[in-house]
Amino acid sequence: MLNLYELEQLTAFARCGTLSKTAEALHLSQPTLTRTMRHLEEEFGVPLFVHGKNRLALNETGKKAVECAAALLADAADTVRQVRQFDQSLRTILVESCAPAPLWSLLPALSEQFPDKTISSRLTDIPAILRRVKDGSCEVGILPSPVEEDAVECVPFIREELSVCLPSDHVLADRSALTLELLNGFNCLLKSDIGFWSDLCREKMPASRFLVQTDDFAFEELARTSTLPFFVTNLSVDTDFPSGRVAVPITDPEANVTFHMVFQKGRQDYRKVAERLARSNRNG
């Protein structure tokens, strides 16, 4: 029966070109490697090598064996990945979101629904979220718009609306609403790790420069002491934001989004969580 470790040695030999280089790369003795090549020929039942004086080279059949071995090794690695992923899914629910704010209500709700599981989360690019939910890499995704896919369910559960916080004497502070186009050219204070909001601001405000802060305390100090505009939302805004500031709503459709919880079809437990959150947010 073919041995995966021996097949790894065969593919390494194809990469390295000589027994001595392969032995060095794999930290094996050359006689051990020679025995492996001989055993592989026995297992395949056909010659795989051209044997020369002090030299071993793959023949055409050997090159085909390397190709098949590489495919088999990739399948084996994928099998291990899938089993480990399945085992983790029995104990962990991974949530991937395009923005942080929806996680603030969703993660506690999932912990309540699944007290025996660990809930973990991370921010992920929008295009990757749906793909990862469909292939099972994550259990729950959060997207800023609905999707229609046969393999998944999509349930709206919370809305986030963007505003800009301006000094009261700012030239745009007397507006009842603004667009990102009108803000383009004004430098702004920006938090890191805000998901797709960061990409949206940069896309819509290409002439602006952003002072990105990774530390919450530093951000709050700059928000309090500087005159730089910064963004807040209905989910993140603090009623005690710095005095002398006004929050002006942003009217761009892309800046006012309803987040959707996405998961594989048939997961009624996830649907219940999403619907419960949606009712709570409507009532709130």
Side-chain angles (χ1 to χ4, degrees):
M1 180 178 292
L2 291 173
N3 180 296
L4 292 180
Y5 182 52
E6 290 184 342
L7 293 179
E8 288 177 349
Q9 294 176 51
L10 177 63
T11 58
F13 174 72
R15 289 194 306 272
C16 296
T18 66
L19 285 173
S20 59
K21 289 181 179 178
T22 306
E24 182 180 356
L26 297 179
H27 305 289
L28 296 172
S29 69
Q30 193 164 322
T32 297
L33 197 58
T34 300
R35 285 194 296 271
T36 295
M37 300 300 115
R38 187 180 304 118
H39 184 252
L40 282 171
E41 281 192 314
E42 293 172 358
E43 286 294 323
F44 280 105
V46 294
L48 302 179
F49 306 97
V50 176
H51 298 265
K53 186 177 181 180
N54 298 322
R55 187 174 183 275
L56 193 68
L58 289 164
N59 61 23
E60 290 303 311
T61 303
K63 292 175 183 177
K64 182 62 177 179
V66 169
E67 180 184 329
C68 294
L72 187 58
L73 290 169
D75 286 343
D78 186 58
T79 298
V80 171
R81 180 191 64 79
Q82 289 188 51
V83 170
R84 288 176 177 173
Q85 181 178 296
F86 177 77
D87 177 69
Q88 184 182 39
S89 72
L90 297 177
R91 296 173 286 105
T92 304
I93 296 174
L94 173 60
V95 182
E96 297 196 357
S97 178
C98 63
L103 296 171
W104 302 339
S105 59
L106 177 58
L107 298 186
L110 288 172
S111 293
E112 181 181 350
Q113 179 74 22
F114 304 96
D116 58 334
K117 292 193 175 185
T118 299
I119 314 298
S120 64
S121 66
R122 63 187 176 203
L123 297 182
T124 305
D125 292 339
I126 290 174
I129 292 175
L130 181 60
R131 182 178 72 251
R132 290 177 59 79
V133 170
K134 289 171 66 176
D135 69 18
S137 300
C138 74
E139 286 68 43
V140 177
I142 301 176
L143 295 172
S145 58
V147 294
E148 294 185 7
E149 291 277 349
D150 291 339
V152 302
E153 290 191 54
C154 181
V155 183
F157 74 99
I158 197 168
R159 185 167 176 80
E160 187 167 25
E161 299 169 347
L162 191 68
S163 296
V164 62
C165 200
L166 300 169
S168 54
D169 59 353
H170 192 279
V171 66
L172 298 176
D174 60 347
R175 303 287 187 101
S176 60
L178 288 168
T179 65
L180 293 174
E181 182 180 6
L182 286 171
L183 287 171
N184 187 29
F186 290 98
N187 297 334
C188 296
L189 188 60
L190 202 64
K191 281 188 175 183
S192 63
D193 298 326
I194 57 174
F196 86 104
W197 290 117
S198 178
D199 294 335
L200 177 65
C201 291
R202 296 177 189 279
E203 177 188 342
K204 295 287 187 175
M205 302 169 60
S208 298
R209 299 181 67 182
F210 298 94
L211 182 60
V212 179
Q213 297 300 304
T214 59
D215 181 77
D216 286 344
F217 176 77
F219 181 90
E220 291 167 5
E221 280 297 293
L222 286 169
R224 183 177 62 83
T225 59
S226 78
T227 59
L228 288 171
F230 60 89
F231 295 98
V232 294
T233 78
N234 60 310
L235 301 181
S236 65
V237 66
D238 186 340
T239 54
D240 295 327
F241 59 78
S243 60
R245 293 265 184 173
V246 294
V248 182
I250 303 297
T251 59
D252 301 62
E254 306 95 325
N256 298 275
V257 301
T258 297
F259 290 105
H260 291 67
M261 185 171 160
V262 182
F263 47 90
Q264 290 188 355
K265 278 195 171 175
R267 293 303 305 261
Q268 293 303 312
D269 44 3
Y270 290 155
R271 171 173 278 279
K272 288 178 181 178
V273 171
E275 291 176 341
R276 186 167 68 247
L277 282 173
R279 287 193 300 271
S280 174
N281 291 322
R282 283 196 300 268
N283 296 335

